[in-house]
Amino acid sequence: MINRLETMLNKYNDLTKELSKPEVISNIKQLTSLSKEQNSLKETVNLYLAYKQVLKDIEDAKELAKDKELGEFAKEELTRLNLEKDNLEHNLEVQLLPKDPNDEKNVIMEIKGAAGGDEANIFAGDLFDMYNHYASTQNWKIEILNSIEGTSGGFTNIEFIIKGDNVYSKLKYESGAHRVQRVPATESQGRVHTSTATVLVMPEAEDIDVDIREEDIKVDIFRSSGPGGQGVNTTDSAVRLTHLPTGIVVTCQNERSQIKNKEAAMKTLKTKIWEVARQKQEEENDNARRIKIGTGDRSEKIRTYNYPQNRVTDHRIGFTSMNLDKIMAGNLETIILELINANQIKELENNG
């Protein structure tokens, strides 16, 4: 571990020197690339420097422990320093775990009302609002690609892209079936119903990730039926793309421009094709499957939102919070950090 950390420290220092050179400063592309590389090392390097300082402080405290007057103080300090050393070692082990290459990517999310009719669609809308509020807390931006509203509110289906820093790293555990238990607005007898909505989270594919032949795509243009105002609904601007080899179909109708809708639909199509290939590769990799906290499959029940008891439970890690109202308002960070921590523990066990 120490050898790897020393290599990273040396690389970080080399990058600092490179970034101070006039020819690099004047080259925006190179400057951006080197800055990004250095920034990816920064957290680990800072932890390692803190670790080296603690090791030095431990040696100094051991020397002080020999002093008659300062011995007791030094022993107390040694206890504190050793605890700090253990914490830093754990954090460094986490930092050195293999990085998910998709963590920094934007995501395309798809939420669908599932079992429960109108109430399922209303819940799908509630989940979209929850992710929308959470995105705001992270300074991310949301762009709706396609949406079909439910007859009583919410959505039978909504697809959107979330753009920002490290979006996939935080939202990749959200895929699966989300279950709600509450008295629906459409229920006249006051009975609690159970309904579900499904969430799919996919890292946005880049042009280099997927190569699609033009002859493999069927393009349909039609009049938008979704929200967006009179200009959207009275022009043939909606685009539907069908990838003939896989049968994957995507629709985008939220822009006035047919060209913009086609660009957005193509981005979604590439992401869905890439996601199928990525999941297949993961299924073939027993190691990757073993360390995941969930399958990522849309049919897997991952979380229950119980409104009467203001409780939310994530079934994969046995985590329960009695702050459902705050979570639905976008305070998802607590659950997400628990999921990230659980995944790191699994990975450490697997690498141990």
Side-chain angles (χ1 to χ4, degrees), residues 110-161:
E110 182 178 272
I111 305 175
K112 289 184 175 182
D118 287 341
E119 168 64 2
N121 296 336
I122 293 169
F123 181 51
D126 293 338
L127 288 176
F128 171 71
D129 290 341
M130 178 183 75
Y131 292 123
N132 198 7
H133 292 316
Y134 178 64
S136 296
T137 70
Q138 303 296 304
N139 294 317
W140 298 337
K141 291 184 179 180
I142 284 185
E143 294 176 14
I144 296 175
L145 301 170
N146 185 48
S147 62
I148 303 172
E149 293 184 355
T151 54
S152 298
F155 301 97
T156 61
N157 180 49
I158 183 167
E159 294 175 81
F160 51 98
I161 184 169

Side-chain angles (χ1 to χ4, degrees), residues 72-133:
E72 284 304 312
F73 167 77
K75 286 175 184 177
E76 290 178 9
E77 185 68 1
L78 266 174
T79 301
R80 185 189 69 79
L81 287 168
N82 279 313
L83 280 173
E84 188 176 348
K85 171 176 166 286
D86 290 343
N87 286 332
L88 285 167
E89 283 177 348
H90 171 76
N91 291 335
L92 284 167
E93 285 176 354
V94 170
Q95 285 294 316
L96 292 176
L97 287 171
K99 295 286 189 290
D100 186 333
N102 298 311
D103 274 353
E104 295 182 1
K105 291 187 176 182
N106 300 327
V107 305
I108 289 179
M109 290 186 75
E110 182 178 272
I111 305 175
K112 289 184 175 182
D118 287 341
E119 168 64 2
N121 296 336
I122 293 169
F123 181 51
D126 293 338
L127 288 176
F128 171 71
D129 290 341
M130 178 183 75
Y131 292 123
N132 198 7
H133 292 316

Side-chain angles (χ1 to χ4, degrees), residues 264-278:
M266 182 61 76
K267 184 179 292 185
T268 306
L269 181 63
K270 285 184 176 181
T271 294
K272 288 193 173 185
I273 292 171
W274 185 50
E275 179 68 9
V276 169
R278 198 174 67 88

Side-chain angles (χ1 to χ4, degrees), residues 93-289:
E93 285 176 354
V94 170
Q95 285 294 316
L96 292 176
L97 287 171
K99 295 286 189 290
D100 186 333
N102 298 311
D103 274 353
E104 295 182 1
K105 291 187 176 182
N106 300 327
V107 305
I108 289 179
M109 290 186 75
E110 182 178 272
I111 305 175
K112 289 184 175 182
D118 287 341
E119 168 64 2
N121 296 336
I122 293 169
F123 181 51
D126 293 338
L127 288 176
F128 171 71
D129 290 341
M130 178 183 75
Y131 292 123
N132 198 7
H133 292 316
Y134 178 64
S136 296
T137 70
Q138 303 296 304
N139 294 317
W140 298 337
K141 291 184 179 180
I142 284 185
E143 294 176 14
I144 296 175
L145 301 170
N146 185 48
S147 62
I148 303 172
E149 293 184 355
T151 54
S152 298
F155 301 97
T156 61
N157 180 49
I158 183 167
E159 294 175 81
F160 51 98
I161 184 169
I162 305 181
K163 297 180 178 180
D165 294 331
N166 301 308
V167 183
Y168 186 70
S169 70
K170 290 198 168 184
L171 293 181
K172 60 185 174 182
Y173 305 111
E174 295 301 298
S175 287
H178 294 241
R179 182 174 68 173
V180 63
Q181 294 172 329
R182 65 184 177 188
V183 179
T186 54
E187 165 61 49
S188 59
Q189 303 296 319
R191 293 171 298 184
V192 173
H193 286 225
T194 298
S195 304
T196 58
T198 59
V199 175
L200 180 62
V201 181
M202 300 167 285
E204 182 187 12
E206 298 172 1
D207 288 337
I208 56 172
D209 295 326
V210 181
D211 182 27
I212 301 177
R213 299 188 306 168
E214 198 170 325
E215 58 265 33
D216 286 341
I217 301 175
K218 179 188 175 189
V219 182
D220 293 307
I221 308 297
F222 58 98
R223 186 159 296 178
S224 173
S225 59
Q230 191 175 355
V232 170
N233 297 327
T234 57
T235 58
D236 291 334
S237 59
V239 176
R240 179 168 50 244
L241 302 181
T242 304
H243 186 240
L244 300 174
T246 61
I248 294 173
V249 180
V250 300
T251 302
C252 189
Q253 57 178 338
N254 278 62
E255 296 285 347
R256 289 175 180 267
S257 164
Q258 185 186 120
I259 293 173
K260 286 185 177 179
N261 279 331
K262 189 174 180 180
E263 287 175 354
M266 182 61 76
K267 184 179 292 185
T268 306
L269 181 63
K270 285 184 176 181
T271 294
K272 288 193 173 185
I273 292 171
W274 185 50
E275 179 68 9
V276 169
R278 198 174 67 88
Q279 290 285 355
K280 185 178 179 183
Q281 186 177 19
E282 210 167 70
E283 285 173 11
E284 292 170 355
N285 185 344
D286 287 337
N287 185 55
R289 290 173 70 188

